[in-house]
Amino acid sequence: MIMAENKEWEPRIVAFCCNWCSYAGADLAGNNRLEYPKNVKIIRIPCSCRLNPMFILRAFQRGADGVILCGCHPGDCHYSTGNYFARRRMTLLFSMLDFLGIDKGRTRVEWCSAAEGVRFAGIMNDFVAQIKALGENKKLEDVRCKTN
């Protein structure tokens, strides 16, 4: 007889992190043994401006419940103005997500430097709590990507 497990739903979070600041902040959080949920999958990108909005839509389609973009603080970008372009691009994406019926709370943009490991862990904990409150994402999911 197989016993049914009482598993609590855990949101799937995709975090796109700038190589120069946010990814280093995540590394610092790990080195300092700060805890943030294990269901946050970090993808390192060269700069926040290199994130194509289609990657976010694709993450939602593949089953992500929330997507966060973390980059350098404005004015501190390794590539000078990359985060300004990212901020503009994300503003347009938010309006497109609204058009598609996806709650704006499922996406977030945060600025976090390499020296802010504590801030990075706090941002991730807060974002996961926010996504848990919203529940499972069912708007763009592709049933072919579900594994059951």
Side-chain angles (χ1 to χ4, degrees):
M1 180 179 214
I2 298 173
M3 296 180 76
E5 289 183 34
N6 187 9
K7 282 180 88 172
E8 183 180 330
W9 171 77
E10 286 294 324
R12 294 171 64 185
I13 308 295
V14 177
F16 291 99
C17 295
C18 159
N19 179 54
W20 302 102
C21 282
S22 299
Y23 190 80
D27 192 38
L28 181 63
N31 288 337
N32 289 336
R33 302 201 190 292
L34 301 171
E35 291 187 20
Y36 58 90
K38 65 179 186 249
N39 49 337
V40 175
K41 304 301 178 207
I42 297 175
I43 299 174
R44 181 169 46 177
I45 54 177
C47 179
S48 57
C49 75
R50 295 289 295 151
L51 179 64
N52 186 332
M54 291 304 293
F55 295 166
I56 293 174
L57 294 175
R58 187 71 162 163
F60 281 127
Q61 183 185 23
R62 294 281 178 125
D65 297 303
V67 179
I68 187 168
L69 169 63
C70 297
C72 306
H73 287 283
D76 289 338
C77 180
H78 186 77
Y79 299 104
S80 300
T81 58
N83 43 23
Y84 295 119
F85 288 110
R87 189 168 49 185
R88 266 190 251 147
R89 192 174 290 146
M90 290 303 289
T91 301
L92 291 173
L93 177 70
F94 289 155
S95 63
M96 185 165 72
L97 289 175
D98 186 41
F99 177 75
L100 293 172
I102 297 173
D103 189 353
K104 185 180 173 184
R106 294 193 180 278
T107 56
R108 187 188 287 187
V109 177
E110 289 286 345
W111 311 119
C112 181
S113 77
E116 295 178 317
V118 173
R119 176 172 159 70
F120 183 85
I123 289 168
M124 292 303 144
N125 286 320
D126 181 53
F127 189 59
V128 169
Q130 177 181 336
I131 298 301
K132 272 188 177 182
L134 289 173
E136 194 172 356
N137 176 35
K138 296 196 180 283
K139 282 291 186 179
L140 281 181
E141 76 177 344
D142 187 346
V143 292
R144 296 174 296 175
C145 298
K146 289 285 184 184
T147 56
N148 287 336

